[in-house]
Amino acid sequence: MGIDMQFTTLFQQIINGLSLGSVYALIAVGYSLVYSILSFSNFAHGGFLVVGGYICYGLLSGLDVYGYFTIPPFNIWLAGLNALIGAGFIAVLTERLAYKPIRERTSMTLYLLIASMGVSIVIENIFVIVVGGRFRALPQDIFQDVFAVLEKILGFFGLQSTREGSSHLFNLGGNVTVSMFDILSLIVAVLFLGGLQLFLRRTRWGLAIRAAACDLRTAGLMGVNVSLLIGIVFFVAGVLAAIGGIFLSFRYTLYPQLGGITTKAFVAAVIGGLGSLPGAVVGSLILGLAEMLSTGFISSQMRDLVVFSLLVIMLLVKPAGFFGKQISDKI
Amino acid sequence: MTPAAAGSLLEARNIHVSYGAIKALQGFSLSLNEREIVSVIGANGAGKSTFMNAVMGMVKRDEGDVFLDGKRLSRKSYRVVQSGLSLVPEGRKVFAPLTVLENLQIGAFPRAGQGNIAKDMEWVFSLFPRLKERKDQLAGTLSGGEQQMLAIGRALMARPRVLLLDEPSLGLAPIIICDIFAELRRINEEGVSILLVEQNARQALLLSHRAYILQTGRLLKEGVSSDLLADPEIKEAYLGTKSR
């Protein structure tokens, strides 16, 4: 492989890595947000992602519920919006049904962790029973409207697009191309994560959430309705997971076990520092880049090996992650 | 249930709290009048903090009710805060990763859009000018005394009718304790009623108008603070001086 070729691969994989990393970031930030408030790993988080994916899929292709009633196919905007809200509500419902009764009885977070594993199995199997376990592909033309808008905006900056089959590509010079979809997922991730940051920094409830992440009990003493606050946090986590779910089911395929991919988001959150939102973003980008660079330069079969090696090295060298609370800080 | 005695602002009646088989409070009652400072003193484990948390709805009461102006208080802590009680918790519990300003803003949480929050912020800064100097600093970087000032300021931002303080002298140097207690007197003179729980009995009795002495979850004695300061039994057990 020539030097030029190597550089092309490097740039190409960095772009792919950032795009994948931004999807991981959406998932990891929601997971980390819940962790920061309730101090437990919510393993049902992957379930929220699957819920989002299926709602979007169902509405895009139109629903026919045993002939009783039919819903005509929605466009991506409406289907996406419903998927985000639906997953948000399922996340809140999960908290109310499975976690709240435990929270009110004990402060041991281990029980919450076990309950979340149960919920994750329940959600997965509900989909296996109701819609079947087979793989489903989201129609590849769903983002056409969105792409058309993007094309105009990028065209304004002098970037011309080409089409190769169904994929829509931009040439960045040399042989480096970036697909419309990668740009879209990057933009959407930046918009939502920026929006979350604004919400946390500029609003009264955002301040309450940051205070609760520091000390939930004391936040309650400030007149914050803790139960409502936890509801809001789960809703936000569900919405972010659903975006990740839609993008992942478009990039790969949709199936009931798709939530398993959150393992990667957990790894990202641990690398960045559990409970830290900037940490979750940084960890996700590192992970996305590591995956894509190992795919490009070693082999795609090695990418999970690289990812989990990163995790092990991080836990040995800096167990609290890049932005995590050091154990001594907690005392 | 008979209505609360006329004139008392806050009244806790027959409070029972237990942690599993351990009975932390066994029927403790207390009343606080408008513009009064009342202290509850007792040894470690007497149930003082439990009492404060029971009033605030932070621990479950087995029995007993709390009334503010004759109206029964909710058992949900955020509603208790909304109705006009604010607790400065034991160990200060400031939000370390937030700035001093943000800590004060979160104190005003229950008053969204009501009253002039900026004006109250100035009032708190006039009580504790040190906080104004450090308003953009993270609360975790403040000294213990400054953190206590911040915790008090944060509670005042809710514009409480009753300010509750759980061991405000804990872990502070004697000179800082004097400062803090002087500020508490000033806050009281500006119309805030104060309920104080302390192990530092001398300081608490010097500050308060009346006091209750709590021993293993029950009332041992109550009375006017100056009388209790002179009481030989109290002197020996809580003030560490022999009466002669």
Side-chain angles (χ1 to χ4, degrees):
Chain A
M1 228 192 306
I3 294 289
D4 278 1
M5 187 68 187
Q6 293 252 356
F7 266 114
T8 306
T9 314
L10 180 67
F11 281 122
Q12 185 68 60
Q13 294 309 83
I14 285 176
I15 288 164
N16 294 345
L18 288 177
S19 161
L20 180 64
S22 66
V23 177
Y24 286 159
L26 287 169
I27 303 168
V29 161
Y31 159 78
S32 223
L33 189 63
V34 169
Y35 184 92
S36 73
I37 303 291
L38 292 178
S39 310
F40 82 104
S41 268
N42 177 23
F43 284 111
H45 197 68
F48 306 158
L49 177 158
V50 176
V51 169
Y54 273 103
I55 294 178
C56 186
Y57 174 83
L59 292 177
L60 279 173
S61 33
L63 287 178
D64 180 13
V65 186
Y66 303 112
Y68 287 116
F69 64 96
T70 51
I71 299 174
F74 282 30
N75 65 28
I76 182 64
W77 302 103
L78 271 177
L81 183 69
N82 278 291
L84 304 198
I85 294 171
F89 275 114
I90 293 295
V92 174
L93 193 68
T94 299
E95 199 281 321
R96 289 290 120 108
L97 292 180
Y99 306 153
K100 196 177 181 210
I102 299 174
R103 271 198 293 118
E104 285 173 347
R105 281 180 181 77
T106 169
S107 55
M108 287 264 292
T109 54
L110 180 64
Y111 297 121
L112 292 172
L113 183 101
I114 296 168
S116 78
M117 290 174 173
V119 172
S120 132
I121 295 170
V122 167
I123 294 181
E124 192 179 306
N125 286 288
I126 284 177
F127 283 105
V128 171
I129 293 165
V130 176
V131 297
R134 69 188 172 84
F135 289 74
R136 286 159 201 273
L138 257 58
Q140 289 300 305
D141 58 352
I142 51 173
F143 290 120
Q144 286 318 315
D145 300 354
V146 190
F147 286 170
V149 178
L150 263 184
E151 204 168 6
K152 283 208 184 86
I153 297 171
L154 291 170
F156 184 76
F157 293 103
L159 283 171
Q160 295 306 318
S161 68
T162 52
R163 278 165 204 266
E164 279 176 26
S166 65
S167 58
H168 215 137
L169 300 171
F170 278 104
N171 201 325
L172 294 183
N175 281 318
V176 183
T177 56
V178 50
S179 76
M180 256 322 184
F181 177 72
D182 281 341
I183 297 177
L184 178 70
S185 50
L186 204 60
I187 291 177
V188 170
V190 168
L191 281 181
F192 273 87
L193 294 177
L196 176 66
Q197 191 64 10
L198 272 182
F199 168 65
L200 291 176
R201 294 277 152 195
R202 295 263 180 273
T203 68
R204 175 169 164 263
W205 276 98
L207 178 63
I209 289 172
R210 286 188 295 137
C214 167
D215 183 343
L216 186 63
R217 230 180 117 78
T218 307
L221 272 179
M222 300 296 111
V224 177
N225 181 348
V226 169
S227 202
L228 179 58
L229 182 137
I230 291 173
I232 293 174
V233 163
F234 269 86
F235 186 81
V236 170
V239 166
L240 294 180
I243 305 169
I246 295 170
F247 282 156
L248 285 173
S249 23
F250 189 81
R251 186 187 281 272
Y252 306 121
T253 48
L254 177 62
Y255 54 103
Q257 291 82 19
L258 180 66
I261 206 152
T262 23
T263 316
K264 296 278 178 61
F266 297 160
V267 172
V270 170
I271 289 176
L274 268 181
S276 154
L277 303 191
V281 174
V282 170
S284 300
L285 294 179
I286 291 176
L287 212 64
L289 288 173
E291 272 195 27
M292 284 305 170
L293 290 176
S294 48
T295 305
F297 289 98
I298 312 169
S299 125
S300 64
Q301 288 173 326
M302 301 294 271
R303 68 184 205 182
D304 283 358
L305 186 69
V306 171
V307 163
F308 289 103
S309 307
L310 260 180
L311 175 65
V312 171
I313 293 167
M314 196 65 196
L315 288 176
L316 287 173
V317 179
K318 212 171 181 315
F322 285 118
F323 295 86
K325 285 185 204 163
Q326 300 297 327
I327 305 303
S328 57
D329 290 353
K330 285 191 166 173
I331 298 169
Chain B
M1 199 51 89
T2 50
S8 73
L9 175 63
L10 182 75
E11 188 174 359
R13 258 192 232 153
N14 192 30
I15 307 287
H16 286 258
V17 175
S18 53
Y19 299 113
I22 302 157
K23 291 192 158 51
L25 278 178
Q26 308 177 51
F28 182 62
S29 302
L30 171 152
S31 72
L32 172 78
N33 297 320
E34 190 96 46
R35 292 182 158 259
E36 198 177 24
I37 305 179
V38 163
S39 59
V40 178
I41 58 181
N44 216 347
K48 303 184 304 288
S49 291
T50 299
F51 172 67
M52 290 302 227
N53 288 329
V55 170
M56 293 304 293
M58 298 296 282
V59 298
K60 212 173 143 274
R61 302 193 286 265
D62 298 337
E63 231 182 277
D65 277 304
V66 184
F67 298 87
L68 182 73
D69 260 346
K71 275 196 255 80
R72 193 190 309 255
L73 276 183
S74 166
R75 288 176 180 237
K76 290 197 168 111
S77 48
Y78 74 96
R79 288 203 188 279
V80 174
V81 178
Q82 280 169 358
S83 47
L85 266 62
S86 248
L87 173 68
V88 179
E90 184 176 357
R92 310 180 267 279
K93 301 277 168 61
V94 295
F95 298 110
L98 305 187
T99 65
V100 168
L101 202 65
E102 286 172 331
N103 268 276
L104 293 175
Q105 282 166 347
I106 188 84
F109 186 89
R111 315 166 37 193
Q114 328 161 6
N116 196 337
I117 290 176
K119 207 176 117 207
D120 289 333
M121 190 86 80
E122 280 312 311
W123 176 53
V124 169
F125 284 148
S126 75
L127 290 169
F128 303 110
R130 291 271 279 285
L131 294 182
K132 189 167 191 175
E133 286 165 30
R134 296 172 189 250
K135 66 179 167 39
D136 297 319
Q137 223 168 295
L138 296 186
T141 64
L142 300 181
S143 71
E146 289 163 347
Q147 287 191 7
Q148 187 65 65
M149 293 172 195
L150 179 57
I152 294 170
R154 183 180 65 178
L156 288 175
M157 286 303 291
R159 271 269 164 212
R161 301 189 59 192
V162 183
L163 179 68
L164 297 89
L165 298 108
D166 193 348
E167 302 271 6
S169 74
L170 192 77
L172 299 180
I175 182 152
I176 312 270
I177 297 176
C178 283
D179 282 357
I180 301 266
F181 275 64
E183 285 311 318
L184 290 179
R185 188 180 300 279
R186 210 173 123 194
I187 292 164
N188 176 249
E189 280 160 5
E190 298 202 21
V192 182
S193 310
I194 293 179
L195 178 59
L196 174 77
V197 149
E198 260 297 344
Q199 265 193 74
N200 187 335
R202 181 181 306 278
Q203 285 288 353
L205 289 176
L206 283 172
L207 176 73
S208 59
H209 304 115
R210 285 187 306 117
Y212 293 75
I213 297 177
L214 194 57
Q215 196 176 51
T216 55
R218 289 175 205 271
L219 178 73
L220 182 73
K221 212 164 227 181
E222 64 166 293
V224 175
S225 296
S226 51
D227 294 351
L228 290 171
L229 264 174
D231 186 318
E233 194 190 340
I234 304 298
K235 265 188 171 172
E236 193 165 338
Y238 294 97
L239 303 172
T241 47
K242 270 247 153 67
S243 52
R244 27 194 124 221

